[in-house]
Amino acid sequence: MKKILLATALVGTIFAAGAQNTIERPTFGDNWSIGLDAGVTTPLKGHSFFGNMRGNYGLHISKEISPLFGIGAEGAWSVNTAGINGTLKSRNAFDHSYVGAFGTFNLTNAFLGFSCEQRPFTLEALVGAGWMHTYLSHEKDLNDIGFKAGLNFNFNVTEHFSISLKPSVTWNVTSHEYGITSHNLDIRRANFNMMVGLNYNFGPGFQCVTCPDYSGEVAELNGRVNALRADLDGRDAQLALANAKNAELTAALAACEAKPAEVVTKNTNTLNSVRYVFFKLGSSVITPDQMPNVEMIAAYLKNHPKAKVEIRGYASPDGSIEVNERLAEARAQSVKNSLVKKYKINADRISAKGEGIGSMFAEESWNRVSICTLED
């Protein structure tokens, strides 16, 4: 019997390992259930099977440790309807009782794998051991050790309520009746039990863990990292050229500073003027530090009633082309809306359009800009 149970457990574990879903790790307070049992019990051999059948009632408490294994404790009392084979009744309402602990093995999850959705039916194997007590009216009561094996056919009515059909066999392994003295599973010292259990299950049971799939994002980031690494060597050459240009400009600046100052008088009202409004990454909102540039444009338009402004919005290369095109358009419209709503500039004097990704600045982040060109 032990070899059969061990083999069943091993096969079930192998099947479950390949089929079960990832589940949340339960705590001690999860997956408890309590229940009431009612049915019949009768000796298996040496007595009349139906003639000695009597009512059997009990209760149990159990906990699922994993989708395969559970533990619990139970008690059952058989009603004193008549002595077995015409013997005297006991002194009270019961003639036998059994109190013990048990373990369960979920055969459904073992062979079909754990399901994230509650199954309407599951099958469990049960083994246990405990204390057996026989109540006698004419002599001292008997106390023995019992061993139990059976099946639980569980019908899940709701998330918390289930009904179980529970056939089992209980052996008295220490009794010396009928001249049997060996401590083994002898059918002459066994009772067949058929019980129906009403169970209340606490908690939501085992829950599946759904892990997000980030493979696409990881692949995209890896591609960008590789592109940046490939571009690194070219950046070194550009830096050397920029340093050379900087040295040239520094020399030119020094030469200019050495020249006498020249005063040039011009009518600035006829000059075209350009203003820049820069934006944060992914944003088309004008920040407070950029509002002075917008105010300068508004002031110019108010001082020159015939002047107009052309606004072109741009975006840096970050992100997809579609997103950057929408962002460039939004940045141009943001400056226009500010001129119209806050500074009351006539919309007919403003042209606003998005130009997509900009490349006018070597520093990519500077290309998140609206370029405003004033025209008389």
Side-chain angles (χ1 to χ4, degrees), residues 191-263:
N191 269 35
F192 173 75
N193 314 293
M194 177 59 74
M195 306 287 281
V196 174
L198 302 179
N199 314 300
Y200 183 82
N201 309 306
F202 296 92
F206 294 100
Q207 302 293 303
C208 288
V209 176
T210 303
C211 299
D213 182 9
Y214 295 110
S215 58
E217 289 84 347
V218 171
E220 181 181 355
L221 290 174
N222 285 335
R224 293 180 63 183
V225 169
N226 292 333
L228 290 172
R229 288 174 176 172
D231 190 51
L232 185 59
D233 294 338
R235 296 288 181 176
D236 292 338
Q238 292 179 12
L239 179 61
L241 292 175
N243 288 335
K245 185 66 175 179
N246 182 55
E248 180 182 347
L249 292 174
T250 300
L253 177 61
C256 289
E257 289 176 343
K259 291 181 178 181
E262 180 181 358
V263 179

Side-chain angles (χ1 to χ4, degrees), residues 46-88:
H47 308 283
S48 171
F49 185 85
F50 291 102
N52 290 296
M53 186 173 290
R54 61 205 56 238
N56 200 24
Y57 305 93
L59 52 86
H60 65 270
I61 182 171
S62 63
K63 172 179 173 58
E64 290 180 291
I65 300 175
S66 74
L68 289 181
F69 298 102
I71 57 174
E74 63 177 339
W77 293 263
S78 58
V79 177
N80 179 19
T81 57
I84 296 178
N85 285 344
T87 60
L88 295 176

Side-chain angles (χ1 to χ4, degrees), residues 16 37 62 80 91 116-117 122 170 185 219 228 264 285 318 337 344 354-355 369:
D37 302 316
S62 63
N80 179 19
R91 296 184 300 272
C116 295
E117 302 295 331
T122 57
T170 307
L185 305 181
L228 290 172
V264 179
V285 177
D318 305 277
N337 292 338
K344 309 304 180 183
E355 296 291 351
V369 64

Side-chain angles (χ1 to χ4, degrees), residues 307-309 336 340 345-351:
K308 295 184 179 181
V309 63
K336 178 180 179 179
V340 173
I345 303 300
N346 193 321
D348 294 335
R349 301 173 64 191
I350 305 171
S351 172

Side-chain angles (χ1 to χ4, degrees), residues 323-343:
V323 171
N324 284 327
E325 288 179 349
R326 292 196 300 268
L327 196 56
E329 178 67 24
R331 287 167 175 168
Q333 294 298 327
S334 180
V335 176
K336 178 180 179 179
N337 292 338
S338 181
L339 291 172
V340 173
K341 293 180 179 179
K342 184 172 182 179
Y343 298 100

Side-chain angles (χ1 to χ4, degrees), residues 4-18 68 105 109-111:
I4 294 174
L5 292 174
L6 289 174
T8 302
L10 178 60
V11 172
T13 302
I14 293 173
F15 273 85
L68 289 181
F105 181 75
N109 286 342
F111 289 97

